[in-house]
Amino acid sequence: MKRNILITGGAGFIGSHVVRLFTTKYPDYTIVNLDKLTYAGNLENLKDIENLPNYHFEKCDICDYEAVTAVFKKYDIDGVIHLAAESHVDRSIKDPFTFARTNVMGTLTLLQAARNHWNGNWDGKRFYHISTDEVYGALQFDGTLFTESTKYDPHSPYSASKASSDHFVRAYHDTYGMPTIVTNCSNNYGPYQFPEKLIPLFINNIRHRKPLPVYGRGENVRDWLYVVDHARAIDVIFHNGRINETYNIGGFNEWRNIDLIKVIIRTVDRLTGKPEGYSDELITYVTDRAGHDLRYAIDSSKLKDELGWEPSLQFEEGIEKTVRWYLDNQQWLDNITSGEYERYYEEMYSKR
Ligand code: NAD
Ligand code: DAU
C-alpha cells in the first residue's frame, strides 16, 4: 500500500534513524521530513539518503499552523510519526517556556492540522506520537518497572511538557475519534546523537582530554536502548500497533551512570590504543541536576507479546558500535561543536 507519511523532527537524533529506515525499507512511500532545524536538527544526519526519490524535506516549525497545514495539503499526508521536540532535560531547567511552546503547543498545532486535513475521514489514517519514559517520574532501587498503566508523575519541565503532549494526543482520540498511538521509550544511544547528551558528550570530552562531569554521585540509573532498535519498534508499531494504545519501548538494560561511564572510558581508551584506566582521571563529580530522577526502567513486554518486537543488539555490541562510530566520524562531531553543521541546509537545500 502506498502511503504519504509525515515524520516530524527527522533531522534530529532518533528522527534521522526513523527517516532512514522508512525511506529505504518502503520505496513506495512518500516520506516527508518536517523539521525546524533548531540547534538539534542536522541535515548532515541524512546525507546518505537525501537524494532518494521518496524523501522530501520541509523546513517548518510545528507551531506554525498555516505552514504545517500547507505541508499536509501538498503531500496529502495520511500518517504522522511525531518526534519533533525539545529533548534535553538540562535545557528545560534553564528555559522551560521553549519546551512548553514546542512540545505542548507544537503537538497541539500538529494534531489540529491533521484533524482538519483528514476532516473526519479516519480511514487508513494514523497519528503516532513518540514520547518518553520520563513522564512516569522516578523509580526507587526496588526492581519495579514502568508499565503502560504506571501513573504519570513528571518532574522536569521537559517531562511535564511531554506528559502534556501525550494527554493532548489521547484527548484527540477520545474527543474527535482520531486514530492515535503513543509510545514511551527509554534512553536511546547510538550514532548522530547531539553531543550534549551523556554518551556522545563523554566520548567527545575524552577525545579532547576535557573533564567528564558526573552529576551528583553518578548513582542514577537509566535504561539504554540502541537507537536503531527504537526505529524498528516505531516501524512495527506504526504498521501493526492497535489504535488508542500505549506501548512502552525499552531494552531491559539498566545501568548506573558511573558504571556506564566506566564502560565508555574503557571502550574509548581501548579503541584509541591507550592503556586501561588512562582516562579515569577525567571523571569529575559536579553538582547534581535539579530534580534528578533516581531511576528509570521500562517493562516492554506488552510490545514483545503483542507485536513480537525485541531489541536486536546486546548492549556490549551496541556501545562498541557507538563509540567506534563517533571515533570514525570526528568531523561530524567537530562540525557540531564549531557550529559548521548549521550551514549545511543553506548550501544543500535553500537553493533547491
Ligand atoms: P533531538 O533533540 O535530537 O531532535 C529533535 C528534532 O526536532 C530536531 O531535528 C529539531 O530541529 C526538531 N525540532 C525541535 N523543535 C521543532 C519545532 N518547533 N518544529 C519542528 N521541528 C523541531 O531529539 P531526539 O533525542 O531525537 O528525540 C526525538 C523524540 O523522541 C522527542 O520527542 C523525544 O522526546 C523523544 N524521546 C527521546 C529519547 C532519547 O533518549 N533521546 C527517548 C525517548 C523519547
Ligand atoms: O529516558 C528518556 C530520555 O532520555 C529522553 O526522553 C530525553 O529526551 C533524553 O535526553 C534522555 O534524558 P536523560 O536526562 O536521561 O539523558 P542525558 O543524556 O541528559 O543524561 C543521562 C544521565 O546522565 C542522567 O542521569 C544525567 C546524567 N548526566 C548527563 C549529562 C549530560 C551526567 O551525569 N552528566 C552529564 O554531563
Side-chain angles (χ1 to χ4, degrees):
M1 182 180 141
K2 194 175 160 5
R3 304 210 57 154
N4 302 328
I5 300 173
L6 183 68
I7 300 179
T8 70
F13 166 47
I14 303 171
S16 62
H17 288 277
V18 177
V19 168
R20 179 172 296 99
L21 179 64
F22 274 69
T23 49
T24 52
K25 186 169 173 187
Y26 303 108
D28 291 345
Y29 288 10
T30 295
I31 302 298
V32 183
N33 171 15
L34 183 156
D35 199 296
K36 182 183 175 184
L37 301 182
T38 66
Y39 80 93
N42 183 357
L43 287 173
E44 278 190 38
N45 298 356
L46 291 164
K47 249 182 180 167
D48 54 329
I49 62 97
E50 69 183 8
N51 290 320
L52 290 179
N54 62 341
Y55 171 70
H56 305 268
F57 174 67
E58 295 285 343
K59 186 174 190 303
C60 179
D61 185 339
I62 53 166
C63 299
D64 182 342
Y65 180 78
E66 302 301 325
V68 172
T69 296
V71 171
F72 267 89
K73 204 168 161 196
K74 178 172 171 187
Y75 299 96
D76 192 16
I77 295 300
D78 54 38
V80 176
I81 304 177
H82 175 36
L83 297 111
E86 289 292 337
S87 69
H88 192 45
V89 174
D90 293 329
R91 286 181 189 254
S92 82
I93 294 167
K94 294 202 184 85
D95 176 19
F97 281 93
T98 303
F99 282 69
R101 180 186 180 274
T102 294
N103 298 358
V104 184
M105 289 308 294
T107 300
L108 180 55
T109 305
L110 203 59
L111 283 162
Q112 188 63 8
R115 178 178 163 230
N116 282 345
H117 184 71
W118 294 336
N119 195 24
N121 173 13
W122 304 126
D123 217 24
K125 311 296 192 305
R126 189 155 285 211
F127 190 106
Y128 177 3
H129 175 62
I130 307 300
S131 192
T132 170
D133 59 359
E134 300 202 12
V135 298
Y136 297 126
L139 297 165
Q140 295 303 311
F141 295 126
D142 57 3
T144 50
L145 303 174
F146 296 134
T147 71
E148 287 80 0
S149 52
T150 301
K151 249 180 69 180
Y152 273 33
D153 182 22
H155 298 148
S156 71
Y158 164 68
S159 52
S161 68
K162 291 296 290 186
S164 172
S165 63
D166 296 7
H167 291 319
F168 269 110
V169 173
R170 294 191 180 106
Y172 265 62
H173 172 271
D174 296 348
T175 309
Y176 307 112
M178 183 181 284
T180 59
I181 295 185
V182 176
T183 56
N184 298 86
C185 187
S186 63
N187 283 64
N188 285 216
Y189 71 99
Y192 301 112
Q193 187 167 31
F194 197 86
E196 63 187 349
K197 308 279 166 50
L198 180 75
I199 292 179
L201 175 74
F202 277 36
I203 295 171
N204 201 34
N205 282 10
I206 297 169
R207 269 181 69 213
H208 293 289
R209 310 305 299 160
K210 282 166 67 178
L212 306 175
V214 182
Y215 296 165
R217 287 146 49 125
E219 284 172 352
N220 303 64
V221 168
R222 296 292 181 265
D223 181 354
W224 294 91
L225 178 68
Y226 192 62
V227 62
V228 174
D229 278 327
H230 188 187
R232 285 178 47 246
I234 290 172
D235 176 22
V236 170
I237 294 163
F238 179 79
H239 289 97
N240 302 316
R242 284 185 294 135
I243 296 303
N244 196 30
E245 283 293 325
T246 298
Y247 297 91
N248 279 352
I249 309 173
F252 292 105
N253 180 40
E254 291 180 52
W255 284 82
R256 270 200 326 163
N257 287 343
I258 191 64
D259 298 330
L260 172 64
I261 287 161
K262 287 181 179 159
V263 171
I264 297 167
I265 291 176
R266 262 206 313 279
T267 311
V268 175
D269 282 348
R270 177 169 49 78
L271 293 177
T272 53
K274 302 291 188 313
E276 192 167 335
Y278 178 73
S279 297
D280 288 353
E281 62 176 31
L282 298 176
I283 291 178
T284 309
Y285 291 91
V286 299
T287 309
D288 208 353
R289 173 184 277 174
H292 198 175
D293 286 333
L294 189 62
R295 173 174 165 257
Y296 303 144
I298 275 276
D299 179 354
S300 55
S301 48
K302 173 176 170 181
L303 178 55
K304 180 176 179 217
D305 296 345
E306 258 189 39
L307 300 175
W309 175 90
E310 276 186 288
S312 67
L313 221 59
Q314 291 297 314
F315 185 65
E316 290 64 27
E317 203 186 327
I319 206 77
E320 173 97 12
K321 258 175 108 110
T322 301
V323 172
R324 270 189 201 280
W325 188 87
Y326 286 100
L327 294 176
D328 290 347
N329 290 275
Q330 300 193 11
Q331 193 60 50
W332 181 89
L333 276 171
D334 292 342
N335 284 352
I336 287 187
T337 37
S338 69
E340 184 67 26
Y341 74 108
E342 285 166 330
R343 276 198 272 282
Y344 190 74
Y345 167 74
E346 290 305 324
E347 281 165 21
M348 299 300 294
Y349 281 87
S350 55
K351 301 191 271 309
R352 287 186 181 185

